Amino acid sequence: MQVPSHPLLEVCVDSFASAMAAVRGGADRLELCSALALGGLTPWPELLARIRAESKIPVRCLMRPRPGDFLYSDEEIALLCSQMPPLLQAGADGFVIGVLTPDGDLDRPATQRLCSAAQGAGLTLHRAIDVSRDPLQTYRDAAALGIDTVLTSGAAASCLAGEKTLEQLLALRDKINGPQVLIGAGVNAEAIRRLRAGLPGAAAFHMSGKTERESRMRFRREGVPMGLPGLDEWHIQQTDEAAVRAASLALHAAL
């Protein structure tokens, strides 16, 4: 497996507006999902097709059937497999996948089913690695399945807090010529500068660059929530073009 040496800035988006902001800001690749406020779920092919009509930027689609843990039933795995062909037809370049066992290891048979359903498209192991029992072993298992990228915070709440584990993963990457280590969680321009200074092998970063946009609704009925506690309908999260641009400049300036 040949690890790309060029820098990569991937931006996670869940709307057309966010995707276009990421493109204008200089993203190298998109991770497309729905419901980013819930950690991201499988996106709709129609949204991908709309993005693809405006940009040829590479897009990997998150395959996640529900919020919560990464222990999936056979029915959930089958659903994800059935959702991949329409996304490929709509223009997906790859998929972001991962399944854990009850004991916190990578579920290799279930993940292999998803790898096969991807039909040779690019594959990222998502942050299931960060809640796995042994992140280094999970990385090795991902490499054995032919997954080309591993998205990780270093098994911490943020990439800066996970710097020690990220250092170990980057060393393992170089030792076994393993998947690209895509650093995520709390990534912005300053985090990129700090991690590139401390981890010279770090070249790939993943961010959402979210900002909160005020709803354009003038009439607002309060006290009738539609979603999770703490979330209201009058503030919309959207990718900030300026944040993406600053991160892109920081990544390239650090070389």
Side-chain angles (χ1 to χ4, degrees), residues 58-97:
V59 179
R60 293 195 175 187
C61 293
L62 176 64
M63 305 308 300
R64 188 172 179 227
R66 54 164 173 77
D69 63 35
F70 302 108
L71 176 62
Y72 297 140
S73 67
D74 286 343
E75 291 78 12
E76 287 171 324
I77 296 296
L79 171 64
L80 294 176
C81 290
S82 71
Q83 290 172 320
M84 286 184 172
L87 288 165
L88 285 170
Q89 187 173 7
D93 297 286
F95 297 100
V96 183
I97 63 173

PDB file of all heavy atoms in Angstrom, residues 58-97:
ATOM      1  N   PRO A  58     -13.093  15.160  -5.318  1.00  0.00           N
ATOM      2  CA  PRO A  58     -13.346  13.803  -4.813  1.00  0.00           C
ATOM      3  C   PRO A  58     -14.279  13.826  -3.593  1.00  0.00           C
ATOM      4  O   PRO A  58     -14.171  14.722  -2.738  1.00  0.00           O
ATOM      5  CB  PRO A  58     -11.952  13.297  -4.425  1.00  0.00           C
ATOM      6  CG  PRO A  58     -11.017  14.098  -5.268  1.00  0.00           C
ATOM      7  CD  PRO A  58     -11.647  15.443  -5.404  1.00  0.00           C
ATOM      8  N   VAL A  59     -15.171  12.860  -3.534  1.00  0.00           N
ATOM      9  CA  VAL A  59     -16.149  12.778  -2.442  1.00  0.00           C
ATOM     10  C   VAL A  59     -16.184  11.347  -1.916  1.00  0.00           C
ATOM     11  O   VAL A  59     -16.396  10.403  -2.684  1.00  0.00           O
ATOM     12  CB  VAL A  59     -17.561  13.183  -2.908  1.00  0.00           C
ATOM     13  CG1 VAL A  59     -18.556  13.056  -1.747  1.00  0.00           C
ATOM     14  CG2 VAL A  59     -17.575  14.594  -3.468  1.00  0.00           C
ATOM     15  N   ARG A  60     -15.993  11.199  -0.611  1.00  0.00           N
ATOM     16  CA  ARG A  60     -16.207   9.925   0.056  1.00  0.00           C
ATOM     17  C   ARG A  60     -17.456  10.039   0.927  1.00  0.00           C
ATOM     18  O   ARG A  60     -17.629  11.048   1.630  1.00  0.00           O
ATOM     19  CB  ARG A  60     -14.987   9.520   0.901  1.00  0.00           C
ATOM     20  CG  ARG A  60     -13.780   9.206   0.037  1.00  0.00           C
ATOM     21  CD  ARG A  60     -12.688   8.468   0.763  1.00  0.00           C
ATOM     22  NE  ARG A  60     -11.628   8.109  -0.166  1.00  0.00           N
ATOM     23  CZ  ARG A  60     -10.582   7.337   0.121  1.00  0.00           C
ATOM     24  NH1 ARG A  60     -10.454   6.825   1.341  1.00  0.00           N
ATOM     25  NH2 ARG A  60      -9.669   7.059  -0.790  1.00  0.00           N
ATOM     26  N   CYS A  61     -18.294   9.039   0.879  1.00  0.00           N
ATOM     27  CA  CYS A  61     -19.583   9.070   1.583  1.00  0.00           C
ATOM     28  C   CYS A  61     -19.513   8.252   2.867  1.00  0.00           C
ATOM     29  O   CYS A  61     -19.072   7.098   2.854  1.00  0.00           O
ATOM     30  CB  CYS A  61     -20.688   8.517   0.684  1.00  0.00           C
ATOM     31  SG  CYS A  61     -21.036   9.546  -0.753  1.00  0.00           S
ATOM     32  N   LEU A  62     -19.963   8.856   3.953  1.00  0.00           N
ATOM     33  CA  LEU A  62     -20.042   8.153   5.226  1.00  0.00           C
ATOM     34  C   LEU A  62     -21.156   7.115   5.172  1.00  0.00           C
ATOM     35  O   LEU A  62     -22.277   7.419   4.763  1.00  0.00           O
ATOM     36  CB  LEU A  62     -20.330   9.151   6.356  1.00  0.00           C
ATOM     37  CG  LEU A  62     -20.535   8.553   7.740  1.00  0.00           C
ATOM     38  CD1 LEU A  62     -19.266   7.858   8.238  1.00  0.00           C
ATOM     39  CD2 LEU A  62     -20.977   9.621   8.724  1.00  0.00           C
ATOM     40  N   MET A  63     -20.840   5.905   5.600  1.00  0.00           N
ATOM     41  CA  MET A  63     -21.836   4.841   5.665  1.00  0.00           C
ATOM     42  C   MET A  63     -22.097   4.532   7.137  1.00  0.00           C
ATOM     43  O   MET A  63     -21.353   3.807   7.800  1.00  0.00           O
ATOM     44  CB  MET A  63     -21.342   3.597   4.921  1.00  0.00           C
ATOM     45  CG  MET A  63     -20.947   3.848   3.472  1.00  0.00           C
ATOM     46  SD  MET A  63     -22.215   4.707   2.490  1.00  0.00           S
ATOM     47  CE  MET A  63     -23.579   3.551   2.600  1.00  0.00           C
ATOM     48  N   ARG A  64     -23.165   5.130   7.654  1.00  0.00           N
ATOM     49  CA  ARG A  64     -23.538   4.967   9.064  1.00  0.00           C
ATOM     50  C   ARG A  64     -25.055   4.986   9.145  1.00  0.00           C
ATOM     51  O   ARG A  64     -25.696   5.970   8.798  1.00  0.00           O
ATOM     52  CB  ARG A  64     -22.922   6.096   9.898  1.00  0.00           C
ATOM     53  CG  ARG A  64     -23.080   5.923  11.404  1.00  0.00           C
ATOM     54  CD  ARG A  64     -22.279   6.975  12.149  1.00  0.00           C
ATOM     55  NE  ARG A  64     -22.446   6.843  13.601  1.00  0.00           N
ATOM     56  CZ  ARG A  64     -22.704   7.865  14.422  1.00  0.00           C
ATOM     57  NH1 ARG A  64     -22.829   9.091  13.940  1.00  0.00           N
ATOM     58  NH2 ARG A  64     -22.823   7.668  15.720  1.00  0.00           N
ATOM     59  N   PRO A  65     -25.672   3.907   9.624  1.00  0.00           N
ATOM     60  CA  PRO A  65     -27.119   3.778   9.533  1.00  0.00           C
ATOM     61  C   PRO A  65     -27.901   4.497  10.621  1.00  0.00           C
ATOM     62  O   PRO A  65     -29.114   4.681  10.492  1.00  0.00           O
ATOM     63  CB  PRO A  65     -27.338   2.271   9.629  1.00  0.00           C
ATOM     64  CG  PRO A  65     -26.211   1.795  10.497  1.00  0.00           C
ATOM     65  CD  PRO A  65     -25.038   2.659  10.118  1.00  0.00           C
ATOM     66  N   ARG A  66     -27.210   4.897  11.699  1.00  0.00           N
ATOM     67  CA  ARG A  66     -27.904   5.494  12.848  1.00  0.00           C
ATOM     68  C   ARG A  66     -26.861   6.126  13.759  1.00  0.00           C
ATOM     69  O   ARG A  66     -25.669   5.818  13.678  1.00  0.00           O
ATOM     70  CB  ARG A  66     -28.658   4.418  13.634  1.00  0.00           C
ATOM     71  CG  ARG A  66     -27.775   3.264  14.043  1.00  0.00           C
ATOM     72  CD  ARG A  66     -28.364   2.394  15.118  1.00  0.00           C
ATOM     73  NE  ARG A  66     -27.540   1.210  15.358  1.00  0.00           N
ATOM     74  CZ  ARG A  66     -26.409   1.195  16.047  1.00  0.00           C
ATOM     75  NH1 ARG A  66     -25.931   2.332  16.558  1.00  0.00           N
ATOM     76  NH2 ARG A  66     -25.723   0.075  16.226  1.00  0.00           N
ATOM     77  N   PRO A  67     -27.324   7.025  14.661  1.00  0.00           N
ATOM     78  CA  PRO A  67     -26.397   7.511  15.692  1.00  0.00           C
ATOM     79  C   PRO A  67     -26.083   6.402  16.686  1.00  0.00           C
ATOM     80  O   PRO A  67     -26.718   5.353  16.697  1.00  0.00           O
ATOM     81  CB  PRO A  67     -27.190   8.638  16.364  1.00  0.00           C
ATOM     82  CG  PRO A  67     -28.337   8.935  15.468  1.00  0.00           C
ATOM     83  CD  PRO A  67     -28.641   7.664  14.736  1.00  0.00           C
ATOM     84  N   GLY A  68     -25.112   6.668  17.529  1.00  0.00           N
ATOM     85  CA  GLY A  68     -24.798   5.702  18.580  1.00  0.00           C
ATOM     86  C   GLY A  68     -23.538   4.914  18.279  1.00  0.00           C
ATOM     87  O   GLY A  68     -22.655   5.365  17.549  1.00  0.00           O
ATOM     88  N   ASP A  69     -23.481   3.707  18.829  1.00  0.00           N
ATOM     89  CA  ASP A  69     -22.262   2.909  18.737  1.00  0.00           C
ATOM     90  C   ASP A  69     -22.055   2.350  17.334  1.00  0.00           C
ATOM     91  O   ASP A  69     -22.862   2.561  16.423  1.00  0.00           O
ATOM     92  CB  ASP A  69     -22.276   1.784  19.784  1.00  0.00           C
ATOM     93  CG  ASP A  69     -23.418   0.793  19.567  1.00  0.00           C
ATOM     94  OD1 ASP A  69     -23.776   0.519  18.408  1.00  0.00           O
ATOM     95  OD2 ASP A  69     -23.965   0.277  20.569  1.00  0.00           O
ATOM     96  N   PHE A  70     -20.942   1.633  17.161  1.00  0.00           N
ATOM     97  CA  PHE A  70     -20.588   1.059  15.855  1.00  0.00           C
ATOM     98  C   PHE A  70     -20.748  -0.458  15.837  1.00  0.00           C
ATOM     99  O   PHE A  70     -20.125  -1.143  15.032  1.00  0.00           O
ATOM    100  CB  PHE A  70     -19.156   1.459  15.488  1.00  0.00           C
ATOM    101  CG  PHE A  70     -18.968   2.948  15.450  1.00  0.00           C
ATOM    102  CD1 PHE A  70     -18.247   3.594  16.443  1.00  0.00           C
ATOM    103  CD2 PHE A  70     -19.536   3.707  14.445  1.00  0.00           C
ATOM    104  CE1 PHE A  70     -18.078   4.971  16.420  1.00  0.00           C
ATOM    105  CE2 PHE A  70     -19.379   5.081  14.405  1.00  0.00           C
ATOM    106  CZ  PHE A  70     -18.653   5.719  15.396  1.00  0.00           C
ATOM    107  N   LEU A  71     -21.587  -0.972  16.725  1.00  0.00           N
ATOM    108  CA  LEU A  71     -21.930  -2.390  16.750  1.00  0.00           C
ATOM    109  C   LEU A  71     -23.229  -2.549  15.960  1.00  0.00           C
ATOM    110  O   LEU A  71     -24.305  -2.211  16.443  1.00  0.00           O
ATOM    111  CB  LEU A  71     -22.115  -2.861  18.198  1.00  0.00           C
ATOM    112  CG  LEU A  71     -22.568  -4.306  18.389  1.00  0.00           C
ATOM    113  CD1 LEU A  71     -21.532  -5.289  17.834  1.00  0.00           C
ATOM    114  CD2 LEU A  71     -22.830  -4.586  19.875  1.00  0.00           C
ATOM    115  N   TYR A  72     -23.112  -3.040  14.729  1.00  0.00           N
ATOM    116  CA  TYR A  72     -24.254  -3.065  13.821  1.00  0.00           C
ATOM    117  C   TYR A  72     -24.797  -4.479  13.644  1.00  0.00           C
ATOM    118  O   TYR A  72     -24.043  -5.465  13.642  1.00  0.00           O
ATOM    119  CB  TYR A  72     -23.862  -2.501  12.452  1.00  0.00           C
ATOM    120  CG  TYR A  72     -23.437  -1.056  12.498  1.00  0.00           C
ATOM    121  CD1 TYR A  72     -22.370  -0.606  11.726  1.00  0.00           C
ATOM    122  CD2 TYR A  72     -24.095  -0.137  13.307  1.00  0.00           C
ATOM    123  CE1 TYR A  72     -21.975   0.727  11.763  1.00  0.00           C
ATOM    124  CE2 TYR A  72     -23.709   1.188  13.348  1.00  0.00           C
ATOM    125  CZ  TYR A  72     -22.650   1.616  12.579  1.00  0.00           C
ATOM    126  OH  TYR A  72     -22.262   2.942  12.618  1.00  0.00           O
ATOM    127  N   SER A  73     -26.102  -4.565  13.462  1.00  0.00           N
ATOM    128  CA  SER A  73     -26.760  -5.842  13.202  1.00  0.00           C
ATOM    129  C   SER A  73     -26.544  -6.254  11.747  1.00  0.00           C
ATOM    130  O   SER A  73     -26.129  -5.448  10.902  1.00  0.00           O
ATOM    131  CB  SER A  73     -28.262  -5.721  13.476  1.00  0.00           C
ATOM    132  OG  SER A  73     -28.862  -4.838  12.523  1.00  0.00           O
ATOM    133  N   ASP A  74     -26.859  -7.499  11.448  1.00  0.00           N
ATOM    134  CA  ASP A  74     -26.778  -7.966  10.063  1.00  0.00           C
ATOM    135  C   ASP A  74     -27.688  -7.138   9.159  1.00  0.00           C
ATOM    136  O   ASP A  74     -27.325  -6.843   8.005  1.00  0.00           O
ATOM    137  CB  ASP A  74     -27.177  -9.444   9.983  1.00  0.00           C
ATOM    138  CG  ASP A  74     -26.107 -10.373  10.531  1.00  0.00           C
ATOM    139  OD1 ASP A  74     -24.947  -9.929  10.672  1.00  0.00           O
ATOM    140  OD2 ASP A  74     -26.423 -11.540  10.827  1.00  0.00           O
ATOM    141  N   GLU A  75     -28.857  -6.765   9.667  1.00  0.00           N
ATOM    142  CA  GLU A  75     -29.782  -5.966   8.865  1.00  0.00           C
ATOM    143  C   GLU A  75     -29.200  -4.588   8.568  1.00  0.00           C
ATOM    144  O   GLU A  75     -29.361  -4.064   7.455  1.00  0.00           O
ATOM    145  CB  GLU A  75     -31.123  -5.814   9.593  1.00  0.00           C
ATOM    146  CG  GLU A  75     -31.926  -7.104   9.686  1.00  0.00           C
ATOM    147  CD  GLU A  75     -31.416  -8.049  10.764  1.00  0.00           C
ATOM    148  OE1 GLU A  75     -30.579  -7.624  11.605  1.00  0.00           O
ATOM    149  OE2 GLU A  75     -31.844  -9.230  10.774  1.00  0.00           O
ATOM    150  N   GLU A  76     -28.515  -4.004   9.544  1.00  0.00           N
ATOM    151  CA  GLU A  76     -27.903  -2.693   9.318  1.00  0.00           C
ATOM    152  C   GLU A  76     -26.749  -2.776   8.323  1.00  0.00           C
ATOM    153  O   GLU A  76     -26.577  -1.891   7.466  1.00  0.00           O
ATOM    154  CB  GLU A  76     -27.441  -2.103  10.647  1.00  0.00           C
ATOM    155  CG  GLU A  76     -28.600  -1.628  11.522  1.00  0.00           C
ATOM    156  CD  GLU A  76     -28.175  -1.248  12.922  1.00  0.00           C
ATOM    157  OE1 GLU A  76     -27.258  -1.907  13.481  1.00  0.00           O
ATOM    158  OE2 GLU A  76     -28.764  -0.298  13.472  1.00  0.00           O
ATOM    159  N   ILE A  77     -25.953  -3.840   8.409  1.00  0.00           N
ATOM    160  CA  ILE A  77     -24.872  -4.018   7.438  1.00  0.00           C
ATOM    161  C   ILE A  77     -25.446  -4.205   6.039  1.00  0.00           C
ATOM    162  O   ILE A  77     -24.959  -3.627   5.058  1.00  0.00           O
ATOM    163  CB  ILE A  77     -23.990  -5.221   7.817  1.00  0.00           C
ATOM    164  CG1 ILE A  77     -23.296  -4.970   9.164  1.00  0.00           C
ATOM    165  CG2 ILE A  77     -22.953  -5.487   6.733  1.00  0.00           C
ATOM    166  CD1 ILE A  77     -22.326  -3.818   9.175  1.00  0.00           C
ATOM    167  N   ALA A  78     -26.496  -5.007   5.924  1.00  0.00           N
ATOM    168  CA  ALA A  78     -27.126  -5.228   4.622  1.00  0.00           C
ATOM    169  C   ALA A  78     -27.671  -3.918   4.056  1.00  0.00           C
ATOM    170  O   ALA A  78     -27.572  -3.658   2.845  1.00  0.00           O
ATOM    171  CB  ALA A  78     -28.244  -6.259   4.745  1.00  0.00           C
ATOM    172  N   LEU A  79     -28.248  -3.077   4.919  1.00  0.00           N
ATOM    173  CA  LEU A  79     -28.748  -1.781   4.466  1.00  0.00           C
ATOM    174  C   LEU A  79     -27.615  -0.928   3.910  1.00  0.00           C
ATOM    175  O   LEU A  79     -27.742  -0.349   2.821  1.00  0.00           O
ATOM    176  CB  LEU A  79     -29.425  -1.051   5.635  1.00  0.00           C
ATOM    177  CG  LEU A  79     -29.811   0.404   5.373  1.00  0.00           C
ATOM    178  CD1 LEU A  79     -30.856   0.510   4.274  1.00  0.00           C
ATOM    179  CD2 LEU A  79     -30.301   1.071   6.655  1.00  0.00           C
ATOM    180  N   LEU A  80     -26.512  -0.863   4.624  1.00  0.00           N
ATOM    181  CA  LEU A  80     -25.384  -0.070   4.156  1.00  0.00           C
ATOM    182  C   LEU A  80     -24.868  -0.586   2.809  1.00  0.00           C
ATOM    183  O   LEU A  80     -24.565   0.203   1.901  1.00  0.00           O
ATOM    184  CB  LEU A  80     -24.259  -0.082   5.192  1.00  0.00           C
ATOM    185  CG  LEU A  80     -24.565   0.597   6.526  1.00  0.00           C
ATOM    186  CD1 LEU A  80     -23.399   0.423   7.492  1.00  0.00           C
ATOM    187  CD2 LEU A  80     -24.871   2.073   6.334  1.00  0.00           C
ATOM    188  N   CYS A  81     -24.767  -1.882   2.688  1.00  0.00           N
ATOM    189  CA  CYS A  81     -24.303  -2.459   1.416  1.00  0.00           C
ATOM    190  C   CYS A  81     -25.239  -2.101   0.266  1.00  0.00           C
ATOM    191  O   CYS A  81     -24.801  -1.837  -0.857  1.00  0.00           O
ATOM    192  CB  CYS A  81     -24.174  -3.976   1.544  1.00  0.00           C
ATOM    193  SG  CYS A  81     -22.803  -4.530   2.596  1.00  0.00           S
ATOM    194  N   SER A  82     -26.542  -2.079   0.547  1.00  0.00           N
ATOM    195  CA  SER A  82     -27.508  -1.761  -0.505  1.00  0.00           C
ATOM    196  C   SER A  82     -27.493  -0.278  -0.859  1.00  0.00           C
ATOM    197  O   SER A  82     -27.919   0.107  -1.953  1.00  0.00           O
ATOM    198  CB  SER A  82     -28.917  -2.172  -0.062  1.00  0.00           C
ATOM    199  OG  SER A  82     -29.407  -1.319   0.971  1.00  0.00           O
ATOM    200  N   GLN A  83     -27.017   0.574   0.050  1.00  0.00           N
ATOM    201  CA  GLN A  83     -26.967   2.005  -0.213  1.00  0.00           C
ATOM    202  C   GLN A  83     -25.743   2.419  -1.029  1.00  0.00           C
ATOM    203  O   GLN A  83     -25.716   3.515  -1.599  1.00  0.00           O
ATOM    204  CB  GLN A  83     -26.977   2.781   1.115  1.00  0.00           C
ATOM    205  CG  GLN A  83     -28.309   2.718   1.845  1.00  0.00           C
ATOM    206  CD  GLN A  83     -28.224   3.329   3.231  1.00  0.00           C
ATOM    207  OE1 GLN A  83     -27.241   3.144   3.952  1.00  0.00           O
ATOM    208  NE2 GLN A  83     -29.248   4.075   3.611  1.00  0.00           N
ATOM    209  N   MET A  84     -24.744   1.573  -1.108  1.00  0.00           N
ATOM    210  CA  MET A  84     -23.508   1.948  -1.790  1.00  0.00           C
ATOM    211  C   MET A  84     -23.660   2.069  -3.311  1.00  0.00           C
ATOM    212  O   MET A  84     -23.171   3.042  -3.893  1.00  0.00           O
ATOM    213  CB  MET A  84     -22.392   0.968  -1.433  1.00  0.00           C
ATOM    214  CG  MET A  84     -21.855   1.151  -0.027  1.00  0.00           C
ATOM    215  SD  MET A  84     -20.471   0.029   0.278  1.00  0.00           S
ATOM    216  CE  MET A  84     -19.919   0.632   1.869  1.00  0.00           C
ATOM    217  N   PRO A  85     -24.319   1.110  -3.999  1.00  0.00           N
ATOM    218  CA  PRO A  85     -24.415   1.248  -5.458  1.00  0.00           C
ATOM    219  C   PRO A  85     -25.074   2.547  -5.933  1.00  0.00           C
ATOM    220  O   PRO A  85     -24.565   3.190  -6.868  1.00  0.00           O
ATOM    221  CB  PRO A  85     -25.208   0.002  -5.873  1.00  0.00           C
ATOM    222  CG  PRO A  85     -24.879  -1.011  -4.824  1.00  0.00           C
ATOM    223  CD  PRO A  85     -24.797  -0.223  -3.553  1.00  0.00           C
ATOM    224  N   PRO A  86     -26.193   2.994  -5.316  1.00  0.00           N
ATOM    225  CA  PRO A  86     -26.758   4.280  -5.749  1.00  0.00           C
ATOM    226  C   PRO A  86     -25.806   5.457  -5.526  1.00  0.00           C
ATOM    227  O   PRO A  86     -25.780   6.398  -6.336  1.00  0.00           O
ATOM    228  CB  PRO A  86     -28.026   4.422  -4.904  1.00  0.00           C
ATOM    229  CG  PRO A  86     -28.384   3.032  -4.510  1.00  0.00           C
ATOM    230  CD  PRO A  86     -27.086   2.319  -4.349  1.00  0.00           C
ATOM    231  N   LEU A  87     -25.023   5.394  -4.459  1.00  0.00           N
ATOM    232  CA  LEU A  87     -24.059   6.472  -4.218  1.00  0.00           C
ATOM    233  C   LEU A  87     -22.915   6.422  -5.229  1.00  0.00           C
ATOM    234  O   LEU A  87     -22.445   7.470  -5.700  1.00  0.00           O
ATOM    235  CB  LEU A  87     -23.524   6.379  -2.788  1.00  0.00           C
ATOM    236  CG  LEU A  87     -24.527   6.789  -1.701  1.00  0.00           C
ATOM    237  CD1 LEU A  87     -24.061   6.335  -0.324  1.00  0.00           C
ATOM    238  CD2 LEU A  87     -24.750   8.304  -1.708  1.00  0.00           C
ATOM    239  N   LEU A  88     -22.482   5.229  -5.588  1.00  0.00           N
ATOM    240  CA  LEU A  88     -21.478   5.108  -6.649  1.00  0.00           C
ATOM    241  C   LEU A  88     -22.007   5.672  -7.965  1.00  0.00           C
ATOM    242  O   LEU A  88     -21.309   6.399  -8.675  1.00  0.00           O
ATOM    243  CB  LEU A  88     -21.069   3.645  -6.824  1.00  0.00           C
ATOM    244  CG  LEU A  88     -20.155   3.050  -5.755  1.00  0.00           C
ATOM    245  CD1 LEU A  88     -20.051   1.541  -5.926  1.00  0.00           C
ATOM    246  CD2 LEU A  88     -18.763   3.683  -5.819  1.00  0.00           C
ATOM    247  N   GLN A  89     -23.242   5.353  -8.272  1.00  0.00           N
ATOM    248  CA  GLN A  89     -23.856   5.843  -9.505  1.00  0.00           C
ATOM    249  C   GLN A  89     -23.978   7.366  -9.500  1.00  0.00           C
ATOM    250  O   GLN A  89     -23.851   8.020 -10.536  1.00  0.00           O
ATOM    251  CB  GLN A  89     -25.226   5.209  -9.703  1.00  0.00           C
ATOM    252  CG  GLN A  89     -25.860   5.524 -11.053  1.00  0.00           C
ATOM    253  CD  GLN A  89     -27.138   4.741 -11.274  1.00  0.00           C
ATOM    254  OE1 GLN A  89     -27.634   4.061 -10.378  1.00  0.00           O
ATOM    255  NE2 GLN A  89     -27.676   4.804 -12.484  1.00  0.00           N
ATOM    256  N   ALA A  90     -24.175   7.939  -8.310  1.00  0.00           N
ATOM    257  CA  ALA A  90     -24.309   9.387  -8.192  1.00  0.00           C
ATOM    258  C   ALA A  90     -22.970  10.108  -8.215  1.00  0.00           C
ATOM    259  O   ALA A  90     -22.939  11.339  -8.286  1.00  0.00           O
ATOM    260  CB  ALA A  90     -25.057   9.741  -6.910  1.00  0.00           C
ATOM    261  N   GLY A  91     -21.866   9.343  -8.136  1.00  0.00           N
ATOM    262  CA  GLY A  91     -20.553   9.965  -8.267  1.00  0.00           C
ATOM    263  C   GLY A  91     -19.623   9.813  -7.091  1.00  0.00           C
ATOM    264  O   GLY A  91     -18.589  10.499  -7.033  1.00  0.00           O
ATOM    265  N   ALA A  92     -19.911   8.929  -6.140  1.00  0.00           N
ATOM    266  CA  ALA A  92     -19.013   8.730  -5.002  1.00  0.00           C
ATOM    267  C   ALA A  92     -17.675   8.171  -5.464  1.00  0.00           C
ATOM    268  O   ALA A  92     -17.618   7.278  -6.310  1.00  0.00           O
ATOM    269  CB  ALA A  92     -19.644   7.789  -3.983  1.00  0.00           C
ATOM    270  N   ASP A  93     -16.597   8.706  -4.897  1.00  0.00           N
ATOM    271  CA  ASP A  93     -15.249   8.191  -5.170  1.00  0.00           C
ATOM    272  C   ASP A  93     -14.810   7.174  -4.127  1.00  0.00           C
ATOM    273  O   ASP A  93     -13.831   6.464  -4.329  1.00  0.00           O
ATOM    274  CB  ASP A  93     -14.242   9.342  -5.182  1.00  0.00           C
ATOM    275  CG  ASP A  93     -14.532  10.348  -6.283  1.00  0.00           C
ATOM    276  OD1 ASP A  93     -14.267  10.035  -7.449  1.00  0.00           O
ATOM    277  OD2 ASP A  93     -15.052  11.437  -5.962  1.00  0.00           O
ATOM    278  N   GLY A  94     -15.522   7.144  -3.012  1.00  0.00           N
ATOM    279  CA  GLY A  94     -15.143   6.223  -1.954  1.00  0.00           C
ATOM    280  C   GLY A  94     -16.136   6.271  -0.815  1.00  0.00           C
ATOM    281  O   GLY A  94     -17.137   7.002  -0.858  1.00  0.00           O
ATOM    282  N   PHE A  95     -15.840   5.497   0.223  1.00  0.00           N
ATOM    283  CA  PHE A  95     -16.749   5.365   1.358  1.00  0.00           C
ATOM    284  C   PHE A  95     -15.971   5.406   2.663  1.00  0.00           C
ATOM    285  O   PHE A  95     -14.790   5.048   2.724  1.00  0.00           O
ATOM    286  CB  PHE A  95     -17.537   4.060   1.254  1.00  0.00           C
ATOM    287  CG  PHE A  95     -18.414   3.999   0.041  1.00  0.00           C
ATOM    288  CD1 PHE A  95     -18.009   3.296  -1.095  1.00  0.00           C
ATOM    289  CD2 PHE A  95     -19.629   4.661   0.017  1.00  0.00           C
ATOM    290  CE1 PHE A  95     -18.808   3.262  -2.221  1.00  0.00           C
ATOM    291  CE2 PHE A  95     -20.432   4.628  -1.113  1.00  0.00           C
ATOM    292  CZ  PHE A  95     -20.025   3.923  -2.229  1.00  0.00           C
ATOM    293  N   VAL A  96     -16.676   5.804   3.723  1.00  0.00           N
ATOM    294  CA  VAL A  96     -16.113   5.911   5.055  1.00  0.00           C
ATOM    295  C   VAL A  96     -16.875   4.917   5.925  1.00  0.00           C
ATOM    296  O   VAL A  96     -18.086   5.063   6.125  1.00  0.00           O
ATOM    297  CB  VAL A  96     -16.253   7.346   5.586  1.00  0.00           C
ATOM    298  CG1 VAL A  96     -15.590   7.484   6.949  1.00  0.00           C
ATOM    299  CG2 VAL A  96     -15.649   8.345   4.589  1.00  0.00           C
ATOM    300  N   ILE A  97     -16.182   3.902   6.422  1.00  0.00           N
ATOM    301  CA  ILE A  97     -16.856   2.744   7.004  1.00  0.00           C
ATOM    302  C   ILE A  97     -16.204   2.339   8.323  1.00  0.00           C
ATOM    303  O   ILE A  97     -15.143   2.846   8.689  1.00  0.00           O
ATOM    304  CB  ILE A  97     -16.823   1.544   6.032  1.00  0.00           C
ATOM    305  CG1 ILE A  97     -15.372   1.115   5.780  1.00  0.00           C
ATOM    306  CG2 ILE A  97     -17.528   1.878   4.729  1.00  0.00           C
ATOM    307  CD1 ILE A  97     -15.216  -0.166   4.980  1.00  0.00           C
TER     308      ILE A  97
END
